[in-house]
Amino acid sequence: MVQRLLEPGEIESLDHTAIPRLLLPRPGELYTARAERLRQLAQNNIKGIPVEENLASYVRLMAELVQAQADVVKNLPPAGVPLPPQEALRVAHEHNMPVLPVSGKRPAEWRAVFAAILEKLDGKTAEYPQLGTALAALRALTDAQLEGAADAVLGEFAEGIDPLHAPFVAAALQVTWSAMAAQLDERWAQPLMTGTLCPVCGSHPVASVIRIGGQSQGYRYLHCAVCASEWHMVRVKCSCCEDNSKVAYQGLTDADADPVAENIAAAKEGKTLNKANDPTRVARAETCDQCHSYRKIFNQEHDYNVDPLADDLASLVLDVLVSELGYARASGNPLLRLGSPA
Ligand SMILES: [Zn+2]
Ligand SMILES: [Zn+2]
């Protein structure tokens, strides 16, 4: 019998107890669920993430944008956005580089996706008068300006883009990259030298999420702001500098300040320890006194429908609280740029 060397993906698949390191996106469901989550958040229906009225109107508008993403994904041709040639994937894989790098050549399809998203939003301008102005300005961009705006979004810099345009450009890039990532075989994506960037596209995570269900039970994942892939990182570790000695958590209420004491109190009353569906534990900020930054962490154990990007957007009050404590936000939210929606 001829011995055959195992490919990397096959080696891992032999270990059925292994933590799934990478959860590739399912754009067909992702954007629909995210739009619904944003609508629920805007209606202040999510216990644990209170949304004030001035933010709610912005969240409602972003729900329309994400719904447009969902509608465009449904109408993508079967191949969606084609993957780069196998050879390019192989070279990136061998060098532990992102296989679909946002810093690389952009697939030309993204501009058609952008145009399709704007078209979906045309029907909403009566409801949101400011949207009509934005759509007209976005359509007036030259090709060079539009590509410059995409560079600014993907490179996370402020020059070359109007902050009010950024969410619309980001939305098209998200659809483009998640459509490619969804076609990947996950063995193409190697862990990078750093655990703090997306192994698929090299972008920063928007937030963390603790997942439940299947082999992902209770594990923490970082959610990519662009391609929506999720990659595993152990809990209680800074997602910015990877130090684990000075990590702490800030919630919106005092109730979650001391879960141990709370659990002991619950036990004395004959209640269950570590109760699920506790709204005070849905959204927290993971702060680090090593690098003085923070990123939010959302817990599916306490709200099954958490969406890291939507929940991050709607929990601005937590950003205010944590920044007052002196921590800087580790990276941005693609649907919220540079002071909008002030
Ligand atoms: Zn990514
Ligand atoms: Zn840190």
Side-chain angles (χ1 to χ4, degrees):
M1 188 181 155
V2 179
Q3 286 247 319
R4 184 176 68 91
L5 289 174
L6 290 170
E7 295 288 325
E10 294 179 282
I11 295 167
E12 285 139 24
S13 71
L14 293 177
D15 180 4
H16 296 291
T17 62
I19 302 169
R21 285 186 326 196
L22 180 68
L23 308 175
L24 288 168
R26 288 196 292 248
E29 298 150 38
L30 170 76
Y31 297 108
T32 303
R34 179 172 294 165
E36 177 56 20
R37 180 70 172 180
L38 286 166
R39 285 190 284 267
Q40 293 295 325
L41 286 159
Q43 287 169 33
N44 207 13
N45 283 347
I46 305 300
K47 282 183 190 161
I49 307 182
V51 178
E52 288 176 11
E53 189 45 43
N54 58 347
L55 177 61
S57 59
Y58 185 77
V59 173
R60 207 171 291 125
L61 175 60
M62 288 301 108
E64 299 289 359
L65 176 57
V66 175
Q67 186 61 53
Q69 289 180 296
D71 295 343
V72 168
V73 164
K74 284 202 185 76
N75 292 324
L76 278 178
V81 182
L83 287 175
Q86 288 279 100
E87 179 61 12
L89 296 178
R90 193 186 61 75
V91 169
H93 174 84
E94 281 178 2
H95 292 84
N96 284 66
M97 302 286 281
V99 283
L100 303 173
V102 288
S103 56
K105 192 169 173 289
R106 263 192 294 282
E109 285 81 2
W110 94 270
R111 302 232 293 258
V113 169
F114 178 71
I117 287 174
L118 299 192
E119 202 175 304
K120 294 282 175 200
L121 289 169
D122 275 336
K124 298 290 171 185
T125 52
E127 231 173 302
Y128 305 91
Q130 76 273 37
L131 182 60
T133 318
L135 293 178
L138 289 161
R139 287 198 170 102
L141 295 175
T142 64
D143 285 354
Q145 285 170 328
L146 188 53
E147 294 296 342
D151 287 339
V153 165
L154 296 174
E156 295 178 71
F157 50 84
E159 301 81 23
I161 190 162
D162 180 332
L164 295 176
H165 297 170
F168 300 89
V169 175
L173 295 165
Q174 286 179 327
V175 167
T176 305
W177 254 270
S178 61
M180 287 193 289
Q183 300 168 60
L184 280 180
D185 184 321
E186 65 185 55
R187 70 191 171 91
W188 282 117
Q190 291 275 60
L192 305 181
M193 297 303 283
T194 166
T196 63
L197 294 176
C198 174
V200 173
C201 78
S203 297
H204 284 113
V206 63
S208 290
V209 56
I210 292 169
R211 289 286 178 210
I212 60 170
Q215 290 186 337
S216 302
Q217 184 69 44
Y219 293 122
R220 183 262 283 271
Y221 290 84
L222 299 177
H223 183 96
C224 177
V226 177
C227 78
S229 295
E230 294 187 348
W231 67 101
H232 175 249
M233 179 179 272
V234 294
R235 286 164 87 153
V236 200
K237 181 176 186 177
C238 174
S239 67
C240 192
C241 74
E242 301 193 69
D243 188 271
N244 59 9
S245 63
K246 293 174 181 171
V247 169
Y249 295 89
Q250 295 290 334
L252 286 167
T253 58
D254 293 335
D256 58 343
D258 191 353
V260 176
E262 196 188 59
N263 281 330
I264 291 169
K268 281 180 180 163
E269 291 171 31
K271 292 182 193 158
T272 330
L273 288 170
N274 289 316
K275 61 184 191 286
N277 300 317
D278 176 354
T280 66
R281 309 241 174 94
V282 173
R284 295 206 266 183
E286 188 175 62
T287 60
C288 173
D289 280 330
Q290 187 67 36
C291 68
H292 304 286
S293 74
Y294 74 93
R295 210 170 243 128
K296 285 181 232 167
I297 180 161
F298 300 97
N299 195 328
Q300 202 177 23
E301 291 166 323
H302 295 293
D303 183 337
Y304 185 78
N305 295 316
V306 289
D307 177 284
L309 191 142
D311 291 8
D312 179 68
L313 178 70
S315 56
L316 265 187
V317 58
L318 188 53
D319 291 274
V320 173
L321 189 122
V322 179
S323 65
E324 279 171 359
L325 295 173
Y327 299 99
R329 206 181 140 101
S331 57
N333 185 309
L335 299 186
L336 182 72
R337 288 273 293 207
L338 308 170
S340 58

